[in-house]
Amino acid sequence: MKSQLTCFIFLICFSLGFSQNGKILSKELINLSETSIWSKLTTNNELKPDYKHLDALNFYTITYESDGHKVNGIITEPKKEGTYPVVIFNRGGNRDYGSLTIATIIFSVSKLAEQGYVIIASNYRTQDEFGGADLNDVLNLFETIKEIDKADESKVGMFGWSRGGMMTYLALKASDKIQTAIIGNGPSNLFAEISFRPKMETLVYAQCIPNYAANKDAELKKRSAIFWADKLNKDSSLLILSGTKDKRVDPKQANIMAEELERINYDFKLMTFETDHGFRDKRDELYATTIAWFDKELKHKK
């Protein structure tokens, strides 16, 4: 009897542990004036014209649970009361390179947030698997969203850049909760990426992907949407943004992925810009394009 009771308690604890995925463990308001980028945003301690919109936003650092890991993230939301559509933002990079910071959010999606969106982003777990188990750190945010008072959990989109684009493809395959997505300069074929940038294999894939040497082909295919485009959530829509001067991800990947999506009659649009991987000289066009897409495909879509 005692052993049965012990087993029962264990099962309850085990179940409760998994039910905590996405739970916010800590949340702290960010004071922008105390951040390292404040001087870049201001003149004489006043926000420059390009950053005046930040006055309308609140930024929070969070720690949330994901498969037993404590994962860091950032929430951005309008100060004005109300409920707003949600966009999950997937950062690029790997491990500490390209890690999520308040600067990442300000320069990537703060203007989208100011137009009436809650933005939530994950820094992914410390043990980066480059699209392996760390995908759950993105998917578990659907539970985190339920704890955000201003978030309309019935309207959720996703926006991924570079490696974050790969994470977005994976999420579109794994979940039916994403109404629309934007992918910017994201790889859809990691085999092709090795040919384009051989160092990606030795410095990233081989170091991050578990059992890479023994299961190279299988693991790369798992992370390459070109091989399973027909598995993407067919109730979603997708905007692919490609910089024709991109030196990090071959722009041809966007064109080939577009051909495959057209073949399977997926709801998508490809837009190309004569710019680099980070759209450094096309930022205003990038902001306008992302806002227009999410307004049409998420905020105002019935």
Side-chain angles (χ1 to χ4, degrees):
M1 182 69 178
K2 185 176 179 180
S3 62
Q4 289 178 331
L5 180 60
T6 302
C7 183
F8 177 74
I9 293 173
F10 171 79
L11 289 173
I12 291 294
C13 292
F14 184 80
S15 175
L16 287 174
F18 273 88
S19 70
Q20 299 302 301
N21 272 335
K23 180 176 177 57
I24 296 176
L25 304 175
S26 66
K27 182 178 181 181
E28 184 175 349
L29 181 67
I30 299 172
N31 184 339
L32 289 183
S33 67
E34 296 177 354
T35 64
S36 61
I37 63 163
W38 181 247
S39 61
K40 296 180 181 179
L41 307 175
T42 59
T43 300
N44 297 325
N45 221 33
E46 293 288 333
L47 287 169
K48 296 176 182 178
D50 281 350
Y51 303 112
K52 283 288 187 183
H53 66 283
L54 300 179
D55 271 335
L57 301 172
N58 281 328
F59 301 86
Y60 301 91
T61 58
I62 62 167
T63 301
Y64 68 99
E65 187 166 331
S66 182
D67 299 346
H69 298 273
K70 292 181 179 179
V71 180
N72 297 322
I74 296 177
I75 294 172
T76 307
E77 63 183 26
K79 290 180 179 178
K80 186 178 179 181
E81 290 301 316
T83 55
Y84 302 93
V86 181
V87 173
I88 295 173
F89 177 71
N90 296 328
R91 73 165 180 91
N94 62 89
R95 294 162 289 188
D96 291 336
Y97 177 75
S99 60
L100 183 71
T101 65
I102 185 61
T104 310
I105 296 299
I106 287 174
F107 298 132
S108 298
V109 289
S110 65
K111 289 192 175 181
L112 175 63
E114 190 266 338
Q115 292 299 309
Y117 292 87
V118 170
I119 312 291
I120 184 167
S122 172
N123 205 27
Y124 316 135
R125 62 190 62 180
T126 303
Q127 188 60 49
D128 191 345
E129 295 187 5
F130 205 76
D134 49 341
L135 175 63
N136 286 343
D137 304 338
V138 174
L139 299 177
N140 287 332
L141 289 176
F142 287 106
E143 294 301 314
T144 309
I145 289 167
K146 297 176 181 178
E147 296 190 49
I148 303 173
D149 292 339
K150 291 183 179 180
D152 180 353
E153 61 183 279
S154 71
K155 288 183 174 291
V156 181
M158 192 169 284
F159 182 14
W161 201 267
S162 192
R163 176 263 180 87
M166 177 192 70
M167 301 294 277
T168 301
Y169 280 128
L170 288 165
L172 284 168
K173 178 186 177 186
S175 174
D176 61 359
K177 298 177 181 178
I178 305 164
Q179 288 181 239
T180 190
I182 297 177
I183 290 175
N185 287 331
S188 57
N189 185 337
L190 269 61
F191 294 96
E193 185 68 358
I194 290 173
S195 298
F196 187 67
R197 288 181 69 200
K199 287 185 178 180
M200 283 297 292
E201 179 170 38
T202 55
L203 299 181
V204 181
Y205 305 161
Q207 294 182 22
C208 292
I209 298 174
N211 303 313
Y212 182 76
N215 301 301
K216 173 180 173 178
D217 286 359
E219 294 300 332
L220 291 181
K221 283 182 179 178
K222 285 180 186 177
R223 294 161 172 80
S224 301
I226 194 68
F227 295 104
W228 35 263
D230 60 328
K231 298 294 193 294
L232 299 176
N233 175 25
K234 294 178 175 60
D235 293 325
S236 186
S237 59
L238 176 62
L239 172 63
I240 299 174
L241 304 176
S242 174
T244 59
K245 297 179 180 178
D246 192 350
K247 301 299 183 184
R248 293 183 176 272
V249 176
D250 189 347
K252 293 177 183 177
Q253 289 204 38
N255 296 324
I256 294 170
M257 187 65 183
E259 290 173 4
E260 180 63 13
L261 292 174
E262 187 169 357
R263 185 186 71 80
I264 64 174
N265 199 31
Y266 196 84
D267 184 5
F268 85 100
K269 181 177 182 180
L270 169 65
M271 296 182 67
T272 60
F273 297 79
E274 192 174 344
T275 188
D276 60 10
H277 186 71
F279 274 50
R280 283 180 296 179
D281 57 348
K282 299 287 184 180
R283 302 303 291 183
D284 288 343
E285 290 178 58
L286 176 62
Y287 297 144
T289 299
T290 55
I291 290 168
W293 181 268
F294 281 123
D295 279 357
K296 175 177 177 287
E297 295 292 321
L298 186 62
K299 181 186 287 186
H300 301 305
K301 194 159 189 176
K302 301 295 185 182

